[in-house]
Amino acid sequence: VTLVEYGDYECPFCGEFYPIVKQVEQQYDSQIHFQFRNLPLIQVHQNALAGARAAEAASLQGKFWQMHDLLYENQDPTGKTGWVASSNPLDQYFVGYAQQLGLNINQFKTDFASSKVNDTINADIAAFNKTGIEEATPTFFLDGKQIQPGYSLADFSKYIDPEIKAKTQKQ
């Protein structure tokens, strides 16, 4: 089954779901394909787009998930410290994260500002807009159907287990 999360790296609710989604990935390891798509809510989160750019720039060097994790693990839910409150998150935080991941820093900075990265983010936003659902993060889809799980592995399992069972019976 495919679980898609439309998320915003600065969103405190996405930050709360982050460890739960990691548990879901571990629990369903080979039975689930997890995709993260960018939905930066720039009207309420000043650095949401910068966070998305950092993840996508890291992706071009094969380190998307590692940067994704660092962004959530270093998110300050109060918004008072860390990269979410920074006036220059690229230089103050993201370059350090890129160094930590062993990325080519010059390439990372070039990619961060590139149209290729912007096009990827814009494609995610456009795909979300086609759903007709009001912009909110996180928004989850399981095999193309929106789900609204609570903040626990068990809540996700209520949706995922029947979907896996249905697919297994069809084969």
Side-chain angles (χ1 to χ4, degrees), residues 88-113:
N88 183 358
L90 174 62
D91 291 331
Q92 291 179 320
Y93 293 93
F94 300 158
V95 166
Y97 299 164
Q99 288 170 329
Q100 195 177 323
L101 298 175
L103 300 181
N104 174 315
I105 300 307
N106 289 333
Q107 188 63 52
F108 175 78
K109 285 180 161 183
T110 299
D111 291 339
F112 181 91

Side-chain angles (χ1 to χ4, degrees), residues 62-92:
K63 299 279 185 161
F64 172 83
W65 289 111
Q66 294 88 334
M67 182 64 80
H68 167 277
D69 292 354
L70 281 173
L71 291 168
Y72 279 125
E73 289 163 7
N74 292 286
Q75 179 197 62
D76 171 26
T78 66
K80 292 183 174 62
T81 62
W83 71 265
V84 299
S86 173
S87 61
N88 183 358
L90 174 62
D91 291 331
Q92 291 179 320

Side-chain angles (χ1 to χ4, degrees), residues 114-132:
S114 72
S115 59
K116 183 173 186 172
V117 160
N118 281 337
D119 290 348
T120 299
I121 295 165
N122 288 332
D124 286 351
I125 294 167
F128 182 85
N129 289 338
K130 286 181 185 173
T131 68

